[in-house]
């Protein structure tokens, strides 16, 4: 009897504990699922982060490719600019060379004309000197040396000093047969200094004071060059046409004809 009572009591106790055990297993399963979901979410977050990083890298690559294209275009423009700059330097050098050669030719021509005018000797002495007047030949030699000194300054490119020397020559020897030449080289010196307005004024003074000089055609040509440099192409054309009309057989007229064709 006592044994049966104990067995019944044990069965009651076991029955009472079954729901608790069942509840215990349900909680564990829930926690397991939560943990599984948490792990899955973590993996999703990692995958999402990896995907975002990949998208970021792809975006950066696309942007970089776009920049590379721009850089290539810029480099191409730089190369073209360098080529143009090089060509400009070549052209500028050619212009300077031609300009110098032109000045050298005029210098040489001036030398030859001056020697023809003076007989390749110091300027001819006046009648007083021929009669034996003391100091006359010396004065004539000083005149020739003064012009030569000013002309040498021009030839070496010292234009400011050449202008001063030629102006001093004109003050000292206003009636010299080389006065028109001196006035011409004053104007040419101003052109070389790119003072074109003053160059034009100097050559106009030559035309006014020495209208019959052999230097008039050259003075007109120099004026036209200065007018062109100032952007006054219409006046330059008129000056060149005047030169060709008045002095058609002069060397300056040949140059003027070529310039007129380029001004069309």
């Amino acid at each position: 009897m006592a044994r049966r009572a104990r067995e019944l009591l044990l069965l009651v106790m076991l029955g009472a504990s079954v729901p608790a055990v069942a509840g215990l297993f349900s909680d564990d399963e829930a926690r397991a699922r939560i943990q599984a979901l948490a792990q899955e979410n973590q993996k999703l977050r990692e995958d999402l982060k990896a995907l975002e990083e990949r998208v970021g890298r792809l975006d950066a690559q696309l942007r970089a490719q776009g920049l590379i294209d721009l850089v290539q275009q810029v480099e191409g423009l730089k190369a073209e600019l360098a080529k143009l700059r090089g060509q400009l330097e070549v052209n500028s050098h050619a212009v300077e060379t031609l300009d110098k050669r032109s000045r050298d030719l005029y210098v040489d021509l001036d030398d030859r004309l001056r020697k023809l005018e003076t007989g390749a000797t110091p300027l001819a002495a006046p009648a007083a000197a021929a009669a034996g007047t003391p100091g006359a030949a010396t004065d004539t030699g000083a005149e020739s040396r003064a012009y030569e000194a000013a002309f040498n300054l021009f030839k070496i490119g010292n234009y400011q000093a050449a202008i001063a020397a030629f102006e001093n020559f004109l003050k000292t020897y206003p009636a010299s047969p080389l006065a028109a030449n001196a006035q011409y080289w004053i104007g040419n010196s101003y052109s070389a200094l790119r003072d074109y307005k003053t160059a034009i004024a100097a050559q106009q003074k030559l035309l006014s004071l020495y209208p019959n000089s052999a230097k008039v055609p050259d003075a007109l040509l120099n004026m036209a060059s200065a007018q062109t440099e100032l952007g006054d192409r219409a006046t330059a054309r008129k000056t060149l046409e005047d030169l060709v009309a008045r002095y058609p057989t002069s060397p300056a007229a040949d140059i003027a004809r070529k310039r007129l064709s380029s001004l069309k």
Side-chain angles (χ1 to χ4, degrees):
M1 184 65 180
R3 181 179 178 184
R4 179 63 178 169
R6 285 197 300 273
E7 290 177 353
L8 290 173
L9 179 60
L10 179 60
L11 287 172
V12 171
M13 293 178 62
L14 287 174
S17 63
V18 169
V21 173
L24 178 63
F25 285 135
S26 297
D27 290 342
D28 289 341
E29 184 179 358
R31 281 194 290 271
R33 288 178 63 82
I34 291 172
Q35 185 175 2
L37 288 173
Q39 291 175 350
E40 185 176 354
N41 288 343
Q42 179 63 28
K43 188 176 184 304
L44 286 174
R45 281 193 292 269
E46 291 175 355
D47 291 342
L48 180 61
K49 183 178 180 182
L51 183 59
E52 289 176 346
E53 290 175 352
R54 184 180 178 187
V55 170
R57 286 195 299 270
L58 288 173
D59 183 67
Q61 289 176 1
L62 290 174
R63 291 178 181 274
Q65 288 176 0
L67 289 176
I68 288 173
D69 290 340
L70 290 176
V71 169
Q72 289 175 344
Q73 292 179 29
V74 171
E75 290 301 322
L77 291 174
K78 285 182 178 179
E80 185 177 353
L81 182 61
K83 182 179 178 181
L84 291 175
R85 186 179 291 113
Q87 186 61 46
L88 178 61
E89 291 176 357
V90 170
N91 290 346
S92 297
H93 178 70
V95 169
E96 291 176 1
T97 301
L98 290 173
D99 185 57
K100 183 179 184 300
R101 184 178 301 171
S102 177
R103 288 199 301 271
D104 290 344
L105 287 173
Y106 276 117
V107 166
D108 180 65
L109 180 61
D110 186 270
D111 265 335
R112 295 184 183 187
L113 289 174
R114 182 170 54 81
K115 288 177 180 178
L116 287 173
E117 291 170 354
T118 60
T121 59
L123 296 175
T133 303
T138 302
D139 292 340
T140 301
E143 178 182 341
S144 180
R145 288 193 297 273
Y147 181 89
E148 192 71 29
F151 196 52
N152 286 336
L153 289 170
F154 178 88
K155 287 193 286 186
I156 64 174
N158 193 348
Y159 302 119
Q160 289 286 10
I163 291 170
F166 278 123
E167 288 178 342
N168 186 61
F169 174 85
L170 289 173
K171 289 178 181 178
T172 306
Y173 309 102
S176 170
L178 294 173
N181 294 47
Q183 185 62 42
Y184 169 77
W185 290 114
I186 289 173
N188 206 312
S189 296
Y190 277 117
S191 288
L193 292 171
R194 302 183 184 280
D195 186 352
Y196 299 115
K197 290 184 179 180
T198 307
I200 293 171
Q203 301 297 10
Q204 287 175 334
K205 186 175 182 179
L206 185 155
L207 300 180
S208 176
L209 295 178
Y210 315 101
N212 298 320
S213 170
K215 277 295 180 184
V216 169
D218 293 333
L220 289 169
L221 188 63
N222 185 259
M223 285 175 60
S225 298
Q227 289 159 350
T228 301
E229 291 293 338
L230 290 173
D232 191 355
R233 294 168 64 89
T235 303
R237 170 177 285 280
K238 184 177 179 181
T239 301
L240 292 172
E241 290 172 344
D242 184 42
L243 166 56
V244 172
R246 293 171 59 188
Y247 308 96
T249 61
S250 66
D254 292 336
I255 299 173
R257 291 187 186 93
K258 294 178 182 178
R259 293 188 182 178
L260 281 170
S261 63
S262 67
L263 286 175
K264 290 182 180 179

